[in-house]
């Protein structure tokens, strides 16, 4: 877990993408910490697991929810940030945990906003693979006999704009990813709930080769809800290619969420 001291600012809880671990996001998390934001990031249970056939998007969501609840019960507010596959379990993990719902129930803390970073927006029952063309794994997702996927060319898929040696370090940190999890249905997503109106942000990455820009835009458009959007000229890993800018965009979203909170109180 990556964390920092308590602060009046909300804690940014980051959900990694498939194959990725907290170490991949360390520069981005450090930039957020430098701006005063506490951060938390843990590997999803479906990544680097000894039991790939028994994990799922739902079990990842349950683990994320447990992390979030521990922070909320301690009185901390959370902004949930998700990358890539992290949008599938992360989008579901915060169901019923918004600041508005927690306050109405007399409970401490709450989730004040959602930030998707070139991430999958999965509808109820939809899997990551179901979001891909023809609902099939793409060519670079190689299925191993043990039930795990691994990317055939991670430099091209994830790190096309990440300079050396950071790209090699990132590749060395990748771990096997449960195929079952990527092909399992997502639970009902919280991003669809009206309590998150004015509290949804999406970072488009224009050079993304894993989730092309057109696919990112289509997911936002087909979500049926409104998102505030920021755009980066980046491939699939802006947390490595430009962590400072990504942290600044996250801070912008958080300020927008705080404005929505003040407006809600005024109403």
């Amino acid at each position: 877990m990556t964390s920092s001291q308590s602060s009046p600012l909300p804690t940014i809880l980051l959900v990694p993408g498939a194959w990725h671990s907290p170490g991949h996001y360390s520069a981005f998390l450090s930039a957020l910490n430098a701006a005063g934001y506490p951060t938390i990031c843990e590997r999803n249970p479906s990544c680097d697991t000894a039991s790939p056939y028994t994990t799922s998007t739902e079990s990842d969501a349950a683990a994320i929810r447990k992390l979030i609840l521990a922070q909320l019960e301690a009185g901390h507010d959370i902004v949930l940030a998700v990358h890539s596959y992290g949008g599938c379990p992360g989008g579901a993990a915060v169901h019923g945990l918004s600041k508005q719902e927690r306050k109405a129930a007399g409970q401490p803390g709450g989730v004040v906003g959602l930030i998707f970073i070139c991430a999958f927006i999965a509808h109820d029952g939809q899997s990551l693979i179901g979001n891909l063309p023809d609902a099939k794994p793409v060519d670079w997702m190689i299925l191993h006999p043990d039930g795990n996927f691994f990317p055939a060319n991670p430099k091209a898929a994830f790190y096309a704009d990440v300079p050396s040696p950071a790209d090699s370090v990132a590749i060395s940190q990748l771990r096997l990813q449960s195929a079952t999890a990527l092909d399992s249905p997502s639970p009902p997503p919280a991003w669809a709930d009206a309590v998150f109106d004015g509290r949804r942000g999406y970072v488009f990455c224009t050079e993304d080769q894993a989730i092309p820009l057109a696919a990112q835009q289509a997911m936002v458009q087909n979500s049926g809800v409104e998102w505030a959007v920021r755009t980066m000229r980046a491939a699939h890993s802006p947390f490595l290619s430009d962590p400072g800018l990504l942290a600044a965009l996250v801070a912008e979203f958080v300020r927008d969420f705080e404005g929505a909170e003040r407006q809600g109180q005024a109403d």
Side-chain angles (χ1 to χ4, degrees):
M1 177 184 293
T2 302
S3 62
S4 68
Q5 297 298 315
S6 60
S7 163
L9 293 173
T11 296
I12 310 297
L13 192 147
L14 175 65
V15 181
W19 301 286
H20 285 72
S21 301
H24 287 99
Y25 305 90
S26 60
F28 168 52
L29 297 172
S30 293
L32 288 170
N33 293 156
Y37 292 96
T39 57
I40 296 173
C41 181
E42 289 198 359
R43 182 188 296 162
N44 291 315
S46 64
C47 180
D48 198 26
T49 175
S51 306
Y53 293 107
T54 61
T55 61
S56 65
T57 300
E58 185 173 9
S59 61
D60 280 347
I64 297 163
R65 187 178 182 89
K66 184 177 180 180
L67 281 176
I68 293 169
L69 280 170
Q71 294 298 309
L72 302 187
E73 292 300 327
H76 303 306
D77 288 340
I78 290 286
V79 169
L80 183 75
V82 297
H83 173 237
S84 196
Y85 162 72
C88 297
V94 296
H95 223 343
L97 301 183
S98 72
K99 181 76 169 178
Q100 179 179 331
E101 292 165 298
R102 297 273 298 177
K103 186 176 181 179
Q107 297 170 323
V111 178
V112 299
L114 312 174
I115 301 173
F116 281 52
I117 303 165
C118 54
F120 284 96
I121 300 176
H123 293 257
D124 185 11
Q126 189 176 40
S127 68
L128 179 148
I129 290 177
N131 243 326
L132 298 177
D134 300 320
K136 295 179 180 179
V138 293
D139 292 343
W140 53 262
M141 293 171 62
I142 305 303
L143 181 62
H144 288 207
D146 64 358
N148 285 296
F149 280 124
F150 199 78
N153 188 349
K155 172 65 177 179
F158 302 148
Y159 311 124
D161 60 347
V162 177
S164 179
D167 55 351
S168 297
V169 173
I171 291 169
S172 74
Q173 293 175 328
L174 292 171
R175 296 294 180 264
L176 293 170
Q177 172 67 45
S178 163
T180 301
L182 300 191
D183 201 23
S184 63
S186 298
W191 54 257
D193 297 343
V195 290
F196 285 108
D197 288 350
R199 303 170 185 277
R200 305 179 196 92
Y202 199 103
V203 179
F204 288 140
C205 293
T206 62
E207 312 306 306
D208 196 336
Q209 301 302 305
I211 310 176
L213 176 61
Q216 299 171 48
Q217 293 170 329
M219 286 189 289
V220 168
Q221 182 176 356
N222 295 332
S223 69
V225 294
E226 292 188 5
W227 299 75
V229 169
R230 302 290 190 276
T231 300
M232 290 185 66
R233 185 174 179 82
H236 193 60
S237 303
F239 46 88
L240 286 170
S241 60
D242 201 340
L245 176 57
L246 182 60
L249 295 181
V250 166
E252 285 184 16
F253 280 130
V254 173
R255 288 192 291 271
D256 290 346
F257 300 156
E258 291 172 342
E261 174 74 16
R262 289 190 294 271
Q263 182 63 43
Q265 291 173 350
D267 293 343

